[in-house]
Amino acid sequence: MQLAVRMDPPSNLHVVNTSSLELFLTWEQSLGSFAAHCIDYQVQHRNLASDQWTVKPASSLSFTLPSYDPRQTYTFRVRSQINGYCGNSKFWSDWSQAVTWGRNATVTGIFLSKM
């Protein structure tokens, strides 16, 4: 069964470095009447040295980027969708507000583009 449900985008995206090799992202999702196991997520990220976005799946309210260049600046966004356990919606939410991380600092709401 396909649902025509489009969720609100995730909110409060936060990025921290847990070690010299990992960035850890967390966010919140307004679930409405759906259980947490009903939602799939995609994390979109890129460093400012690249024109290409990388999209990775996530099935919980967190994501770990296992290796990164601490000299680079990264931008992250997250979106959500009802998964096959609860109906399999054909629509993804909009992307969350962008968060930019670089040099051990996080900036929320600024979407940096490559010059």
Side-chain angles (χ1 to χ4, degrees), residues 14-89:
H14 187 69
V15 182
V16 296
N17 62 324
T18 57
S19 73
S20 61
L21 300 176
E22 286 185 345
L23 291 176
F24 184 69
L25 286 72
T26 58
W27 57 88
E28 296 175 8
Q29 179 68 56
S30 173
L31 298 175
S33 62
F34 294 97
H37 72 273
C38 293
I39 313 298
D40 284 338
Y41 300 94
Q42 287 184 334
V43 176
Q44 184 183 57
H45 65 89
R46 73 174 187 175
N47 68 48
L48 293 184
S50 173
D51 287 332
Q52 298 296 317
W53 286 96
T54 300
V55 177
K56 298 285 186 177
S59 59
S60 65
L61 296 170
S62 64
F63 174 82
T64 301
L65 183 64
S67 61
Y68 71 96
D69 182 346
R71 298 167 295 177
Q72 293 292 326
T73 299
Y74 293 84
T75 299
F76 297 92
R77 297 188 295 192
V78 181
R79 66 182 181 177
S80 58
Q81 178 184 51
I82 306 297
N83 64 31
Y85 293 116
C86 301
N88 197 28
S89 176

